[in-house]
């Protein structure tokens, strides 16, 4: 498993959502300590990470991708790792729950 630091400066903010979604889907887990700075843990090589980012940016955008090892100093922010959302293919269950549940979806209560 590799850890990459990804940071970007976008000239057009329209790509921000798709770039963020791509980063979150890229690996096993991710962290975003600053607004446009991410850490991603993935099995992919740096060239594959670069290819995924390249297709989402324009000529005016800048992206930094660096494989990192070791700890980082973090000041006035937090570094929390999030696991990617995965659907359990065998059962169809996922880790998303919507509230409130419709009456037909509510579990039966014991009498």
């Amino acid at each position: 498993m590799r850890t990459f630091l990804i940071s970007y400066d976008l000239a057009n903010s329209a790509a921000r959502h798709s770039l963020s979604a791509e980063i979150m889907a890229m690996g096993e887990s991710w962290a975003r300590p600053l607004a446009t700075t991410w850490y991603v843990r993935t099995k992919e090589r740096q060239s594959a990470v670069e290819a995924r980012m390249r297709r989402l940016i324009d000529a005016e955008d800048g992206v930094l991708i660096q494989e990192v090892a070791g700890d980082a100093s973090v000041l006035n922010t937090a570094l929390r790792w999030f696991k990617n959302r995965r659907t359990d293919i065998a059962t169809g269950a996922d880790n998303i729950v919507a509230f409130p549940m419709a009456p037909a979806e509510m579990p039966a209560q014991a009498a």
Side-chain angles (χ1 to χ4, degrees):
M1 188 73 58
R2 296 173 175 89
T3 301
F4 291 99
L5 170 72
I6 301 173
S7 185
Y8 53 83
D9 184 14
L10 302 177
N12 181 357
S13 62
R16 188 175 315 266
H17 179 72
S18 58
L19 195 60
S20 297
E22 185 69 25
I23 291 170
M24 288 186 282
M26 188 177 304
E28 297 297 318
S29 59
W30 55 269
R32 190 177 88 172
L34 299 170
T36 61
T37 302
W38 300 75
Y39 286 103
V40 178
R41 291 183 179 144
T42 181
K43 294 177 183 174
E44 293 186 22
R45 296 192 176 280
Q46 187 164 331
S47 58
V49 173
E50 179 183 342
R52 289 176 74 156
M53 297 293 98
R54 184 177 300 279
R55 66 182 179 82
L56 298 171
I57 63 171
D58 294 329
E60 302 296 318
D61 299 330
V63 177
L64 168 86
I65 303 167
Q66 179 181 8
E67 188 171 356
V68 296
D71 296 329
S73 295
V74 180
L75 305 172
N76 294 332
T77 189
L79 186 62
R80 294 183 305 159
W81 287 93
F82 297 89
K83 291 186 180 269
N84 283 343
R85 293 181 174 162
R86 306 271 189 219
T87 300
D88 182 349
I89 296 173
T91 64
D94 61 25
N95 63 346
I96 300 171
V97 178
F99 292 98
M101 294 184 346
E105 298 174 337
M106 296 182 73
Q109 295 183 356

